[in-house]
Amino acid sequence: MSYQLNEEQRMIRAMVRDLAREVMLPTAAERDHTKEFPAENIKKMGDLGLMGMSIPPEYNGAGVDTISYSLALQEIGYACASTAVIMSVHNSVSCGPIYRFGSDFLKEKYLKPLAAGQLLGCFALTEPGAGSDPASQKSTAKRGGDTYILNGTKAFVTSGKNADVVVATAYTDKSKRHRGISAFVLEKGLPGFTVGPEEDKMGQRASDTTSLIFEDCRVPAENLLGEDGDGFIIAMTALDEGRIGIASMSVGIAQACLDAAIGYAKERDQFGSPISKFQGIRWMIADMAVQIEAARLLTFNAAAMKDRGERFTAEASMAKLFASEMANKVAYQALQIHGGYGYSKEYPVERYYRDARVTTIYEGTSEVQRIVIANNVIGS
């Protein structure tokens, strides 16, 4: 890897790699089969400071840079994509907006235990009829005294079943379109707040994905995140960070695919020699390695821009677009190198192939990323 890491970054990568490959990797296939939520892994990650990596120490976070966060997610993604997406959502679109937009009260009550790994967070923006177009959401929040009354249904919420805290959006003034969306911090257990059935997904199956239903759910007014009407900006800002996370875990999945393909190609004999000797296979592996390195550097670039305090919206979208589509291509090639065995659950590339597929969909589809990039490159 050509990017020059400092000593702290190398230490964080080594620490997380040990945890990921010694603790998470051996049981990842079983969790994929049983859909068991990786609660013990999440606890270990919390103990190591991985559940509040970018949050300052005064709020119980690790206070490390975004490059370190990306490195950690690459390593977790290499071992278990389900665990990686839980970590990414918790850090970027749960802890992130509370730290950036929350009042002192919200930071004290929710951010501190979230960053310490004592509570798990999730993010509820998507609705059954509002995915890529969040302004078409139908959830509402009406002020009544010292509470807001929330009504609506959120869909495809990562960790919706297992999270303790939800950052959710709803219209407080529909007439203002996206400028009338507000954001709230909700606790599980509020009256009128129920968790819908778990989705039976193609991949990342140990990460639960559910709907969240609000029926006259009373949320204290002090749980408003930012000001009335800030919800769209809060969500878009959080998604910029989330896209660095998804790009990072995509690189991790792809690296696992490459390593599996190399290992198999060296062992598999055909026509009297290992298939790793065949030019067709060697060129496939060379292309995979180039694509992974390019995605890694795009991701590091967005992370470094964030750390420097620069605007990184377009760069985060570039990294997410390229890395997620790259992960799908590399997973395809790794499975192809395995031949018929790649289609069997006997080898891990079958799981990698399924896990990679959703990376081009969540945190903004590839099509949405292209819109964001074009708007930044061309202008409106």
Side-chain angles (χ1 to χ4, degrees):
M1 186 174 65
S2 59
Y3 189 91
Q4 187 64 46
L5 302 178
N6 63 37
E7 185 177 358
E8 181 184 33
Q9 291 163 346
R10 290 195 300 271
M11 287 174 62
I12 289 170
R13 182 179 62 183
M15 174 190 73
V16 181
R17 179 174 291 179
D18 288 346
L19 172 71
R21 301 196 187 183
E22 293 173 13
V23 176
M24 298 177 187
L25 186 59
T27 54
E30 179 64 18
R31 281 193 303 279
D32 173 71
H33 176 67
T34 63
K35 297 173 65 177
E36 180 185 355
F37 186 77
E40 283 302 310
N41 288 345
I42 300 299
K43 184 180 184 307
K44 289 184 174 74
M45 289 159 63
D47 292 341
L48 289 173
L50 302 183
M51 300 304 281
M53 291 193 73
S54 300
I55 304 302
E58 57 261 37
Y59 298 113
N60 294 337
V64 300
D65 62 12
T66 314
I67 298 286
S68 297
Y69 172 61
S70 176
L71 288 165
L73 262 174
Q74 288 175 40
E75 294 300 334
I76 302 294
Y78 183 103
C80 178
S82 294
T83 306
V85 73
I86 295 164
M87 174 183 165
S88 178
V89 165
H90 174 92
N91 274 275
S92 60
V93 291
S94 185
C95 289
I98 298 174
Y99 170 62
R100 193 154 281 104
F101 296 95
S103 63
D104 290 341
F105 164 76
L106 291 176
K107 290 175 182 175
E108 188 69 29
K109 184 170 183 181
Y110 298 110
L111 183 58
K112 282 187 172 182
L114 284 167
Q118 296 162 355
L119 297 178
L120 184 66
C122 67
F123 179 66
L125 174 67
T126 299
E127 296 187 1
S132 295
D133 178 16
S136 65
Q137 65 182 281
K138 292 184 167 53
S139 294
T140 59
K142 294 184 178 178
R143 182 73 183 256
D146 59 356
T147 63
Y148 285 86
I149 302 170
L150 262 66
N151 282 284
T153 299
K154 297 297 183 178
F156 299 115
V157 180
T158 299
S159 303
K161 177 182 174 182
N162 286 281
D164 307 289
V165 176
V166 184
V167 174
T169 59
Y171 270 109
T172 46
D173 188 344
K174 189 79 174 176
S175 68
K176 294 181 179 178
R177 291 286 288 161
H178 67 276
R179 291 185 178 86
I181 298 171
S182 298
F184 302 87
V185 182
L186 286 72
E187 287 182 54
K188 280 280 183 66
L190 283 172
F193 178 173
T194 57
V195 177
E198 199 171 336
E199 301 288 344
D200 189 8
K201 299 181 300 183
M202 173 183 178
Q204 301 187 16
R205 290 169 56 81
S207 159
D208 66 276
T209 302
T210 69
S211 56
L212 298 179
I213 301 143
F214 309 123
E215 297 174 300
D216 291 333
C217 178
R218 290 186 175 272
V219 182
E222 61 191 357
N223 282 34
L224 176 70
L225 198 53
E227 304 293 332
D228 261 336
D230 284 350
F232 187 81
I233 294 297
I234 290 170
M236 294 304 105
T237 302
L239 286 170
D240 284 348
E241 293 188 34
R243 286 162 185 164
I244 292 175
I246 301 307
S248 300
M249 65 174 286
S250 297
V251 170
I253 295 169
Q255 188 67 55
C257 289
L258 176 61
D259 289 354
I262 292 170
Y264 182 83
K266 287 180 174 179
E267 294 172 0
R268 175 68 167 169
D269 281 343
Q270 291 288 272
F271 307 105
S273 68
I275 64 171
S276 61
K277 299 291 185 183
F278 301 156
Q279 186 180 67
I281 300 295
R282 295 176 76 85
W283 282 14
M284 284 175 71
I285 288 172
D287 286 343
M288 293 160 74
V290 171
Q291 294 282 301
I292 292 168
E293 187 67 2
R296 197 189 321 269
L297 293 175
L298 273 173
T299 304
F300 283 160
N301 179 58
M305 290 180 71
K306 176 179 177 290
D307 287 335
R308 292 194 298 266
E310 299 171 13
R311 180 175 168 81
F312 63 98
T313 296
E315 288 75 15
S317 283
M318 289 177 184
K320 197 271 186 183
L321 171 65
F322 187 86
S324 61
E325 296 200 344
M326 173 279 300
N328 277 272
K329 291 173 189 171
V330 167
Y332 173 93
Q333 291 171 310
L335 196 152
Q336 191 72 13
I337 288 169
H338 280 70
Y341 288 110
Y343 201 64
S344 164
K345 291 185 184 296
E346 181 181 351
Y347 286 83
V349 289
E350 180 271 341
R351 171 167 53 87
Y352 301 155
Y353 188 86
R354 290 185 289 105
D355 284 346
R357 187 61 191 87
V358 74
T359 59
T360 62
I361 297 172
Y362 56 25
E363 304 279 19
T365 63
S366 289
E367 292 70 32
V368 165
Q369 305 312 321
R370 289 184 170 95
I371 292 170
V372 172
I373 294 163
N375 287 345
N376 279 269
V377 172
I378 302 170
S380 300

